[in-house]
Amino acid sequence: MTLAEAEALDAGDPLALARERFRLPPGVIYLDGNSLGALPAATPGRLAAVVEGEWGGDLIASWTKHDWVDAPRRVAADLAPIVGADADELIIADSTSVNLFKLLAAAMRARPGRPVLLTEEGNFPTDLYVAEGLVRLVPGLQVKAVPRADIAVSLDQEVAALFLTHVDYKSGARHDIKRLNAAAHAAGALTVWDLSHSAGAVALDIAADGCDLALGCGYKYLNGGPGAPAFLFVAKALQPDLDNVVSGWFGHAAPFDFAGNYAPAAGIGRFLTGTPPILALAALEAGIATFDGIAMAELEAKSRGLSALFVAAVEARCPSLTLASPRDPAERGSHVVFAFPHGHAVMQALIERGVVGDFRAPDLLRFGFAPLYTRFADVWRAADILAEILDAGTWDQPRFHQRKRVT
C-alpha cells in the first residue's frame, strides 16, 4: 500500500470525526494509547469546571448539588455499552489491582472447598502479584499457572476461579472469552477477566458472553488520564451471592447513617470501598465521552485494518524484525509487537523521530492503535520511519541504549 492509498482510507473512515475530540501534539505519531490514552480536548475544561466551579464555588455541597456522590455509577453507565454490560453491573472504583483483589476474593469465598485460582503462564505480572498476595492471606489457597493451550483442560473441581487477561499485554494475543467462560462454568468455576488491554479498542459483549466478573483500567484506550480509576463488573445474577472483602463506607447500605457495623449495599454498589476520587472521575467521564456515537463494531474493524496495514508495511520494509503477535487480526487486540535483539534502542530512536510506541523486555517493540485517533496514514508513516532507522543503523548510538525508569 502507498501513502496515497492510506490517506484515501482516512478520507473514507467513518470514525475520522473522533480524532477532533483529542489534543495530539503536532508532529507526533502516537502509537502508545494502549499504555496511556491521548488527552481528550474536553478534559481540561471539564476539570477546570469541577475544580473552580464545583469544588471552589459550592464546596462540600457539590456532593449533592453536582451529584458527586453518584459519579461512580454515572460514569459506569456511560461505559456500559462500550464493554457490553448493563449499567447496574458496572461500577467505577479504585485501581485494577484493588479490583482484582476484590473479585478474586469474592470468587474464592463463593466457591468454598476449591483451593485453586487458575491462570496462564505469562499473565500480566500485576495480576499474578495480586493473586499471590491473596494466597498469602488464605491458608491452602494456591495459584496455578498453565500454558495457554492447557487452560481448558486444567479446569477441574479444584478450581474456584479462572482469571485471565483478555488481550495479552505483550503479544496482543486474544482469548476466546465465550468459549473459556463456558468451559469454566462446566467445571463449576467462576471467571474473572482483566479487560485493560481491550476495553475501548475491541468490541466486547461481556454479559452476553457469560462473564461472571471483570475489571479494567480507565487510562489506556478509555482515555481517562494517568492513573484513572478502574471499572469493575459483576454479573447481575451473582451480585446477591458475592461480598466485598475490602468493605468500606461507600459500599455500605447507608453510608451516612454511620452505623457501627457493616451492612453491604444492594447490587453492584457493595463493591465500592472508599470515597470516590471526584477529579479523576471527571477526567474519566470526559475520556469515555470520546466514544459518543461510535459503533464498537466499526471501531474494531478499524483496529484490525490499522494493525494489518502496519504488519504488512513493516514486514515489507524491515526484514530484520520478527512478528511476535498473532498474524490473524481476529486473534489479537489493538496492538502489534515485533521482536528485535536491540528493541529498546530502536524504540528510543523512533521516539526521537516522533513515533511513540513502547518497549517490553526482553526485545519487543510494541505499537498500539487507538482507533478513535490513529489514522491509516500515521501507521504507514510510522512503518516508513522505522525502516529508515533500521536501514541507516541510526538506532545504534549510545544515548538510545540508556535505560530509563519507564520504558
Coordinates of all heavy atoms in Angstrom, one line a residue, residues 71-104 127 164-167 177 192-207 211-225 227-235 268 271-273 277 280-281 284-285 287-288 291 296:
A71 N -21.2 9.7 41.1 CA -20.3 9.7 40.0 C -19.8 8.2 39.6 O -19.8 7.9 38.4 CB -19.1 10.6 40.3
P72 N -19.5 7.4 40.6 CA -19.1 6.0 40.2 C -20.1 5.3 39.4 O -19.8 4.5 38.5 CB -18.8 5.3 41.5 CG -18.5 6.5 42.5 CD -19.4 7.6 42.0
R73 N -21.4 5.5 39.7 CA -22.5 4.8 38.9 C -22.7 5.5 37.6 O -23.0 4.9 36.6 CB -23.7 4.7 39.7 CG -23.6 3.8 41.0 CD -24.9 4.0 41.9 NE -24.8 3.0 43.0 CZ -24.1 3.3 44.1 NH1 -23.4 4.4 44.2 NH2 -24.1 2.4 45.1
R74 N -22.7 6.8 37.6 CA -23.0 7.6 36.4 C -22.0 7.3 35.3 O -22.3 7.1 34.1 CB -23.0 9.1 36.7 CG -23.4 10.0 35.5 CD -23.5 11.5 35.9 NE -22.2 12.0 36.2 CZ -21.8 12.4 37.5 NH1 -22.6 12.2 38.5 NH2 -20.6 12.9 37.7
V75 N -20.7 7.4 35.7 CA -19.6 7.1 34.7 C -19.7 5.7 34.2 O -19.5 5.4 33.1 CB -18.3 7.5 35.3 CG1 -17.2 7.2 34.3 CG2 -18.2 9.0 35.7
A76 N -20.0 4.8 35.1 CA -20.1 3.3 34.8 C -21.2 3.1 33.7 O -21.1 2.3 32.8 CB -20.4 2.5 36.0
A77 N -22.3 3.9 33.9 CA -23.4 3.8 32.9 C -23.0 4.2 31.5 O -23.4 3.6 30.5 CB -24.6 4.6 33.4
D78 N -22.1 5.2 31.5 CA -21.6 5.7 30.2 C -20.7 4.6 29.6 O -20.6 4.4 28.4 CB -20.8 7.0 30.3 CG -21.7 8.1 30.7 OD1 -22.9 8.1 30.5 OD2 -21.1 9.1 31.3
L79 N -20.0 3.9 30.4 CA -19.1 2.9 30.0 C -19.8 1.6 29.5 O -19.3 0.9 28.7 CB -18.1 2.5 31.1 CG -17.1 1.4 30.9 CD1 -16.2 1.7 29.7 CD2 -16.3 1.1 32.1
A80 N -20.9 1.3 30.1 CA -21.6 0.0 29.9 C -21.7 -0.4 28.4 O -21.4 -1.6 28.1 CB -23.0 0.0 30.6
P81 N -22.2 0.4 27.5 CA -22.3 0.0 26.1 C -21.0 -0.3 25.4 O -20.9 -1.0 24.5 CB -23.1 1.1 25.4 CG -22.9 2.3 26.3 CD -22.8 1.8 27.7
I82 N -19.9 0.3 26.0 CA -18.6 0.1 25.4 C -18.1 -1.3 25.6 O -17.3 -1.9 24.8 CB -17.6 1.2 25.9 CG1 -18.0 2.6 25.4 CG2 -16.2 0.9 25.4 CD1 -17.2 3.7 26.0
V83 N -18.4 -1.9 26.8 CA -18.0 -3.2 27.2 C -19.1 -4.3 27.0 O -18.8 -5.5 27.2 CB -17.4 -3.2 28.6 CG1 -16.2 -2.3 28.6 CG2 -18.4 -2.9 29.6
G84 N -20.3 -3.9 26.7 CA -21.4 -4.8 26.6 C -21.9 -5.3 27.9 O -22.1 -6.5 28.1
A85 N -22.3 -4.4 28.8 CA -22.8 -4.8 30.1 C -24.0 -3.9 30.4 O -24.2 -2.8 29.7 CB -21.8 -4.6 31.2
D86 N -24.8 -4.3 31.3 CA -25.9 -3.4 31.8 C -25.3 -2.4 32.8 O -24.3 -2.7 33.5 CB -27.0 -4.2 32.4 CG -27.8 -5.0 31.4 OD1 -27.8 -4.6 30.2 OD2 -28.5 -5.9 31.8
A87 N -25.9 -1.2 32.9 CA -25.4 -0.2 33.8 C -25.3 -0.6 35.2 O -24.4 -0.2 35.9 CB -26.2 1.1 33.7
D88 N -26.2 -1.5 35.7 CA -26.2 -1.9 37.1 C -25.3 -3.1 37.3 O -25.4 -3.7 38.4 CB -27.7 -2.2 37.6 CG -28.4 -3.3 36.7 OD1 -27.8 -3.8 35.8 OD2 -29.5 -3.6 37.1
E89 N -24.5 -3.4 36.3 CA -23.5 -4.5 36.5 C -22.1 -3.9 36.6 O -21.1 -4.6 36.8 CB -23.5 -5.5 35.4 CG -24.9 -6.2 35.3 CD -24.9 -7.2 34.1 OE1 -24.7 -6.7 33.0 OE2 -25.2 -8.4 34.3
L90 N -21.9 -2.6 36.5 CA -20.6 -1.9 36.5 C -20.6 -0.9 37.5 O -21.6 -0.3 37.9 CB -20.4 -1.2 35.1 CG -20.0 -2.1 33.9 CD1 -19.9 -1.1 32.7 CD2 -18.6 -2.7 34.1
I91 N -19.4 -0.7 38.1 CA -19.1 0.4 39.0 C -17.7 0.9 38.7 O -16.8 0.1 38.3 CB -19.2 0.0 40.5 CG1 -19.5 1.2 41.4 CG2 -18.1 -0.9 40.9 CD1 -20.9 1.8 41.3
I92 N -17.4 2.2 38.9 CA -16.1 2.7 38.8 C -15.5 2.8 40.2 O -16.1 3.5 41.1 CB -16.1 4.1 38.1 CG1 -16.8 4.1 36.8 CG2 -14.6 4.6 37.9 CD1 -16.2 3.2 35.7
A93 N -14.3 2.2 40.4 CA -13.8 2.2 41.7 C -12.3 1.8 41.7 O -11.9 0.9 40.9 CB -14.5 1.2 42.6
D94 N -11.5 2.5 42.5 CA -10.2 2.0 42.8 C -9.3 1.8 41.6 O -9.5 2.5 40.6 CB -10.3 0.8 43.7 CG -11.1 1.0 45.0 OD1 -10.8 1.9 45.7 OD2 -12.0 0.2 45.2
S95 N -8.3 0.9 41.7 CA -7.4 0.6 40.6 C -7.7 -0.8 40.1 O -8.4 -1.6 40.8 CB -6.0 0.7 41.1 OG -5.7 -0.3 42.0
T96 N -7.1 -1.2 39.0 CA -7.3 -2.6 38.5 C -6.8 -3.6 39.6 O -7.4 -4.6 39.8 CB -6.6 -2.8 37.2 OG1 -5.2 -2.4 37.3 CG2 -7.2 -2.0 36.1
S97 N -5.7 -3.3 40.2 CA -5.1 -4.2 41.2 C -6.1 -4.4 42.4 O -6.3 -5.6 42.8 CB -3.8 -3.7 41.7 OG -2.9 -3.6 40.6
V98 N -6.6 -3.3 42.9 CA -7.5 -3.4 44.0 C -8.8 -4.2 43.6 O -9.3 -5.0 44.3 CB -7.8 -2.1 44.6 CG1 -8.9 -2.1 45.7 CG2 -6.6 -1.4 45.2
N99 N -9.3 -3.9 42.4 CA -10.5 -4.5 42.0 C -10.3 -6.0 41.7 O -11.1 -6.8 42.0 CB -11.0 -3.8 40.7 CG -11.7 -2.5 41.0 OD1 -12.1 -2.2 42.1 ND2 -11.8 -1.7 40.0
L100 N -9.1 -6.4 41.2 CA -8.8 -7.8 41.0 C -8.8 -8.5 42.3 O -9.3 -9.6 42.5 CB -7.5 -8.0 40.3 CG -7.1 -9.4 40.0 CD1 -8.1 -10.2 39.2 CD2 -5.7 -9.5 39.4
F101 N -8.2 -7.9 43.3 CA -8.1 -8.5 44.7 C -9.6 -8.7 45.2 O -9.9 -9.8 45.7 CB -7.4 -7.6 45.6 CG -7.2 -8.2 47.0 CD1 -6.1 -9.0 47.3 CD2 -8.1 -8.0 48.0 CE1 -5.9 -9.6 48.6 CE2 -8.0 -8.5 49.3 CZ -6.9 -9.3 49.5
K102 N -10.4 -7.7 45.0 CA -11.8 -7.8 45.5 C -12.5 -9.0 44.8 O -13.2 -9.8 45.4 CB -12.6 -6.5 45.2 CG -12.2 -5.3 46.0 CD -13.0 -4.1 45.4 CE -12.7 -2.8 46.1 NZ -13.5 -1.7 45.6
L103 N -12.3 -9.1 43.5 CA -13.1 -10.1 42.7 C -12.5 -11.5 42.9 O -13.3 -12.4 43.0 CB -13.1 -9.7 41.2 CG -13.9 -8.4 40.9 CD1 -13.8 -8.1 39.4 CD2 -15.3 -8.5 41.4
L104 N -11.2 -11.6 43.0 CA -10.7 -13.0 43.3 C -11.1 -13.4 44.7 O -11.5 -14.6 44.8 CB -9.2 -12.9 43.2 CG -8.5 -12.8 41.8 CD1 -7.0 -12.8 41.9 CD2 -9.0 -14.0 40.9
D127 N -1.4 -8.8 37.8 CA -2.4 -9.8 38.2 C -1.9 -10.9 39.0 O -2.6 -11.4 39.9 CB -3.1 -10.2 36.9 CG -3.9 -9.1 36.2 OD1 -3.7 -7.9 36.6 OD2 -4.8 -9.4 35.4
L164 N -7.9 -14.4 33.8 CA -7.1 -14.2 32.6 C -7.2 -12.8 32.1 O -8.2 -12.0 32.4 CB -7.7 -15.1 31.5 CG -7.6 -16.6 31.7 CD1 -8.4 -17.3 30.6 CD2 -6.1 -17.1 31.7
T165 N -6.2 -12.3 31.4 CA -6.3 -11.1 30.7 C -6.7 -11.3 29.3 O -6.2 -12.2 28.6 CB -4.9 -10.4 30.7 OG1 -4.4 -10.2 32.0 CG2 -4.9 -9.1 30.0
H166 N -7.8 -10.6 28.9 CA -8.4 -10.9 27.6 C -7.4 -10.7 26.4 O -7.3 -11.6 25.6 CB -9.6 -10.0 27.4 CG -10.3 -10.1 26.0 ND1 -10.7 -9.1 25.3 CD2 -10.5 -11.2 25.3 CE1 -11.3 -9.5 24.2 NE2 -11.2 -10.8 24.2
V167 N -6.7 -9.6 26.4 CA -5.7 -9.3 25.4 C -4.3 -9.3 26.1 O -4.1 -8.5 27.0 CB -6.0 -8.0 24.6 CG1 -4.8 -7.7 23.7 CG2 -7.2 -8.2 23.8
I177 N -13.3 -15.4 24.9 CA -14.0 -15.2 26.2 C -15.2 -16.2 26.3 O -15.3 -16.8 27.3 CB -14.5 -13.7 26.3 CG1 -13.3 -12.8 26.6 CG2 -15.5 -13.6 27.4 CD1 -13.7 -11.4 26.9
V192 N -12.9 -14.5 36.0 CA -12.5 -13.1 36.3 C -11.6 -12.7 35.1 O -10.6 -13.2 34.9 CB -11.7 -13.0 37.6 CG1 -11.4 -11.6 37.9 CG2 -12.5 -13.7 38.7
W193 N -12.1 -11.7 34.4 CA -11.4 -11.2 33.2 C -10.8 -9.8 33.4 O -11.5 -8.9 33.9 CB -12.4 -11.1 32.0 CG -12.8 -12.5 31.5 CD1 -13.9 -13.2 31.7 CD2 -12.0 -13.3 30.6 NE1 -13.9 -14.4 31.1 CE2 -12.7 -14.5 30.3 CE3 -10.7 -13.1 29.9 CZ2 -12.2 -15.5 29.5 CZ3 -10.3 -14.1 29.1 CH2 -11.0 -15.3 28.9
D194 N -9.6 -9.6 33.0 CA -8.9 -8.3 33.0 C -9.1 -7.8 31.6 O -8.5 -8.4 30.7 CB -7.5 -8.5 33.4 CG -6.8 -7.1 33.5 OD1 -7.2 -6.1 32.9 OD2 -5.7 -7.0 34.2
L195 N -9.8 -6.7 31.4 CA -10.1 -6.2 30.1 C -9.3 -4.9 29.8 O -9.6 -4.1 28.9 CB -11.6 -5.8 30.0 CG -12.5 -7.0 30.3 CD1 -14.0 -6.5 30.3 CD2 -12.4 -8.1 29.4
S196 N -8.2 -4.7 30.6 CA -7.4 -3.5 30.5 C -6.9 -3.2 29.1 O -6.8 -2.0 28.6 CB -6.3 -3.5 31.5 OG -6.7 -3.5 32.8
H197 N -6.5 -4.2 28.3 CA -5.9 -4.0 27.0 C -6.9 -4.3 25.9 O -6.5 -4.4 24.7 CB -4.7 -5.0 26.8 CG -3.5 -4.5 27.6 ND1 -3.3 -4.9 28.9 CD2 -2.5 -3.7 27.3 CE1 -2.2 -4.3 29.4 NE2 -1.7 -3.6 28.4
S198 N -8.2 -4.3 26.2 CA -9.2 -4.5 25.2 C -10.4 -3.5 25.3 O -10.9 -3.0 24.3 CB -9.8 -5.9 25.2 OG -10.1 -6.3 26.5
A199 N -10.8 -3.0 26.5 CA -11.9 -2.1 26.6 C -11.6 -0.8 25.9 O -10.6 -0.1 26.2 CB -12.2 -1.8 28.1
G200 N -12.4 -0.4 25.0 CA -12.2 0.8 24.2 C -11.5 0.6 22.9 O -11.3 1.6 22.1
A201 N -11.0 -0.6 22.6 CA -10.3 -0.9 21.4 C -10.9 -2.0 20.6 O -10.7 -2.1 19.3 CB -8.8 -1.2 21.7
V202 N -11.6 -2.9 21.2 CA -12.2 -4.0 20.5 C -13.7 -4.1 21.0 O -14.0 -3.6 22.1 CB -11.5 -5.4 20.7 CG1 -10.1 -5.3 20.3 CG2 -11.6 -5.8 22.2
A203 N -14.5 -4.8 20.2 CA -15.9 -4.9 20.5 C -16.0 -6.0 21.6 O -15.6 -7.1 21.4 CB -16.7 -5.3 19.3
L204 N -16.7 -5.6 22.7 CA -16.9 -6.6 23.8 C -18.4 -6.7 24.1 O -19.2 -5.8 23.9 CB -16.2 -6.0 25.1 CG -14.7 -6.0 25.1 CD1 -14.2 -5.2 26.3 CD2 -14.1 -7.4 25.1
D205 N -18.8 -7.9 24.5 CA -20.1 -8.2 24.9 C -20.1 -9.1 26.1 O -20.5 -10.2 26.1 CB -20.9 -8.8 23.8 CG -22.4 -8.7 23.9 OD1 -22.9 -8.2 25.0 OD2 -23.1 -9.0 23.0
I206 N -19.5 -8.6 27.2 CA -19.2 -9.4 28.3 C -20.4 -10.1 29.0 O -20.3 -11.2 29.5 CB -18.3 -8.7 29.4 CG1 -19.0 -7.5 29.9 CG2 -17.0 -8.3 28.7 CD1 -18.2 -6.8 31.0
A207 N -21.5 -9.4 29.0 CA -22.7 -10.0 29.6 C -23.2 -11.2 28.8 O -23.5 -12.3 29.3 CB -23.8 -9.0 29.8
C211 N -19.6 -13.7 31.0 CA -18.6 -13.3 32.0 C -19.2 -13.2 33.4 O -20.4 -12.7 33.5 CB -17.9 -12.0 31.7 SG -17.0 -12.0 30.2
D212 N -18.5 -13.7 34.4 CA -19.0 -13.6 35.8 C -18.5 -12.3 36.4 O -19.3 -11.5 36.9 CB -18.5 -14.8 36.6 CG -19.0 -16.1 36.1 OD1 -20.2 -16.2 35.8 OD2 -18.2 -17.1 36.0
L213 N -17.2 -12.1 36.3 CA -16.6 -11.0 36.9 C -15.6 -10.4 36.0 O -14.9 -11.1 35.2 CB -15.9 -11.4 38.2 CG -16.7 -12.2 39.2 CD1 -15.8 -12.8 40.3 CD2 -17.8 -11.3 39.8
A214 N -15.4 -9.1 36.0 CA -14.4 -8.5 35.1 C -13.9 -7.1 35.7 O -14.6 -6.6 36.6 CB -14.9 -8.3 33.7
L215 N -12.8 -6.7 35.2 CA -12.3 -5.4 35.6 C -11.4 -4.8 34.5 O -11.1 -5.5 33.5 CB -11.4 -5.6 36.9 CG -10.2 -6.5 36.6 CD1 -9.0 -5.9 37.2 CD2 -10.5 -7.9 37.2
G216 N -11.1 -3.6 34.6 CA -10.2 -3.0 33.6 C -9.8 -1.6 34.0 O -10.5 -0.9 34.8
C217 N -8.8 -1.0 33.4 CA -8.3 0.3 33.8 C -9.0 1.3 32.9 O -9.5 1.1 31.8 CB -6.8 0.4 33.7 SG -6.1 0.4 32.0
G218 N -8.9 2.6 33.4 CA -9.5 3.7 32.7 C -8.5 4.6 31.9 O -9.0 5.5 31.3
Y219 N -7.3 4.3 31.9 CA -6.3 5.2 31.4 C -5.7 4.8 30.0 O -4.9 5.5 29.5 CB -5.2 5.5 32.4 CG -4.5 4.3 33.0 CD1 -3.5 3.6 32.3 CD2 -4.8 3.8 34.2 CE1 -2.8 2.6 32.9 CE2 -4.2 2.8 34.8 CZ -3.2 2.1 34.1 OH -2.6 1.0 34.7
K220 N -6.0 3.6 29.5 CA -5.5 3.2 28.2 C -6.4 3.7 27.1 O -6.5 4.9 26.9 CB -5.3 1.7 28.2 CG -4.3 1.2 29.3 CD -4.1 -0.3 29.2 CE -3.4 -0.9 30.4 NZ -2.0 -0.3 30.6
Y221 N -7.1 2.8 26.5 CA -8.0 3.2 25.4 C -9.2 4.0 25.8 O -9.8 4.6 25.0 CB -8.5 1.9 24.6 CG -7.4 1.1 24.0 CD1 -7.0 -0.2 24.5 CD2 -6.7 1.6 22.9 CE1 -6.0 -0.9 23.9 CE2 -5.7 0.8 22.3 CZ -5.4 -0.4 22.8 OH -4.4 -1.2 22.1
L222 N -9.5 4.0 27.1 CA -10.6 4.8 27.6 C -10.3 6.3 27.8 O -11.2 7.1 28.1 CB -11.2 4.2 28.8 CG -11.8 2.8 28.6 CD1 -12.4 2.2 29.9 CD2 -12.9 2.8 27.6
N223 N -9.0 6.6 27.7 CA -8.6 8.0 27.7 C -8.9 8.8 29.0 O -9.1 10.0 28.9 CB -9.2 8.7 26.5 CG -9.0 7.9 25.2 OD1 -7.9 7.5 24.9 ND2 -10.1 7.6 24.5
G224 N -8.9 8.1 30.1 CA -9.2 8.8 31.4 C -8.1 9.5 32.1 O -8.3 10.1 33.1
G225 N -6.9 9.5 31.5 CA -5.8 10.2 32.1 C -4.9 9.2 33.0 O -5.3 8.2 33.4
G227 N -3.3 7.1 35.6 CA -3.8 6.6 36.9 C -5.3 6.7 37.1 O -5.8 6.7 38.2
A228 N -6.0 6.8 36.0 CA -7.5 7.0 36.1 C -8.1 5.8 36.8 O -7.6 4.7 36.9 CB -8.1 7.0 34.7
P229 N -9.3 6.0 37.5 CA -9.9 4.9 38.2 C -10.3 3.8 37.3 O -10.4 3.9 36.0 CB -11.2 5.6 38.7 CG -11.0 7.0 38.7 CD -10.0 7.3 37.6
A230 N -10.4 2.6 37.9 CA -10.7 1.4 37.1 C -12.2 1.1 37.1 O -13.0 1.8 37.8 CB -9.9 0.2 37.7
F231 N -12.6 0.1 36.4 CA -14.0 -0.3 36.4 C -14.1 -1.8 36.9 O -13.1 -2.5 36.8 CB -14.7 -0.1 35.1 CG -14.2 -1.0 34.0 CD1 -14.6 -2.3 33.7 CD2 -13.2 -0.5 33.1 CE1 -14.2 -3.0 32.7 CE2 -12.7 -1.2 32.1 CZ -13.2 -2.5 31.8
L232 N -15.2 -2.1 37.4 CA -15.4 -3.5 38.0 C -16.8 -3.9 37.5 O -17.8 -3.2 37.6 CB -15.3 -3.4 39.5 CG -15.6 -4.6 40.4 CD1 -14.8 -4.4 41.7 CD2 -17.0 -4.8 40.7
F233 N -16.9 -5.2 37.1 CA -18.1 -5.8 36.6 C -18.5 -7.0 37.4 O -17.6 -7.9 37.6 CB -18.0 -6.2 35.1 CG -19.0 -7.1 34.6 CD1 -20.2 -6.6 34.1 CD2 -18.8 -8.5 34.6 CE1 -21.2 -7.5 33.6 CE2 -19.8 -9.4 34.1 CZ -21.0 -8.9 33.6
V234 N -19.7 -7.1 37.8 CA -20.2 -8.3 38.4 C -21.6 -8.6 37.8 O -22.5 -7.8 37.8 CB -20.4 -8.2 40.0 CG1 -21.0 -9.4 40.6 CG2 -19.1 -7.8 40.6
A235 N -21.7 -9.8 37.2 CA -22.9 -10.2 36.5 C -24.1 -10.1 37.5 O -24.0 -10.5 38.7 CB -22.8 -11.7 36.0
I268 N -24.5 -3.8 42.7 CA -23.1 -3.6 42.4 C -22.5 -2.5 43.4 O -21.2 -2.5 43.5 CB -23.0 -3.1 40.9 CG1 -21.5 -3.1 40.5 CG2 -23.6 -1.7 40.8 CD1 -20.9 -4.4 40.3
F271 N -19.5 -3.1 45.9 CA -18.1 -3.2 45.6 C -17.4 -1.9 45.6 O -16.2 -1.8 45.2 CB -18.0 -3.9 44.2 CG -18.2 -5.4 44.4 CD1 -19.4 -6.0 44.2 CD2 -17.1 -6.2 44.7 CE1 -19.7 -7.3 44.3 CE2 -17.3 -7.6 44.9 CZ -18.6 -8.2 44.7
L272 N -18.1 -0.8 46.0 CA -17.3 0.4 46.3 C -16.7 0.2 47.7 O -17.1 -0.6 48.5 CB -18.3 1.6 46.4 CG -18.9 2.1 45.1 CD1 -20.0 3.1 45.3 CD2 -17.8 2.7 44.2
T273 N -15.7 1.0 47.9 CA -15.0 1.0 49.2 C -14.8 2.4 49.8 O -15.6 2.7 50.7 CB -13.6 0.3 49.0 OG1 -13.7 -1.0 48.5 CG2 -12.9 0.2 50.4
P277 N -12.7 9.3 43.9 CA -11.8 10.4 43.6 C -12.5 11.3 42.5 O -12.4 11.0 41.3 CB -10.6 9.7 43.0 CG -11.2 8.4 42.4 CD -12.4 8.1 43.3
A280 N -10.5 12.7 39.4 CA -10.2 11.6 38.4 C -11.4 11.1 37.7 O -11.3 10.7 36.5 CB -9.4 10.5 39.2
L281 N -12.5 11.0 38.4 CA -13.7 10.5 37.8 C -14.2 11.5 36.7 O -14.7 11.1 35.7 CB -14.8 10.4 38.8 CG -14.8 9.0 39.6 CD1 -15.6 9.1 40.9 CD2 -15.3 7.9 38.7
L284 N -12.1 10.8 33.7 CA -12.5 9.6 33.0 C -13.9 9.8 32.3 O -14.0 9.2 31.2 CB -12.6 8.5 34.1 CG -13.1 7.1 33.6 CD1 -12.2 6.6 32.5 CD2 -13.2 6.1 34.7
E285 N -14.8 10.5 32.9 CA -16.0 10.8 32.2 C -15.8 11.5 30.9 O -16.5 11.1 29.9 CB -16.9 11.6 33.2 CG -18.3 11.8 32.7 CD -19.2 12.4 33.8 OE1 -18.7 13.2 34.6 OE2 -20.4 12.2 33.8
G287 N -13.1 11.2 29.1 CA -12.5 10.2 28.2 C -13.5 9.3 27.6 O -13.5 9.0 26.4
I288 N -14.4 8.8 28.4 CA -15.5 7.9 27.9 C -16.4 8.6 26.9 O -16.9 8.0 25.9 CB -16.2 7.3 29.1 CG1 -15.3 6.3 29.9 CG2 -17.5 6.5 28.6 CD1 -15.9 5.8 31.1
F291 N -16.2 8.4 23.0 CA -16.8 7.3 22.3 C -18.3 7.6 21.9 O -18.9 6.7 21.3 CB -16.8 6.0 23.1 CG -15.4 5.4 23.3 CD1 -14.6 5.9 24.3 CD2 -15.0 4.4 22.4 CE1 -13.3 5.3 24.5 CE2 -13.7 3.9 22.6 CZ -12.9 4.4 23.6
M296 N -19.1 0.2 18.2 CA -17.9 -0.6 18.6 C -17.5 -1.6 17.5 O -16.3 -1.9 17.4 CB -18.2 -1.3 19.9 CG -18.4 -0.4 21.1 SD -17.1 0.9 21.3 CE -15.7 -0.2 21.8

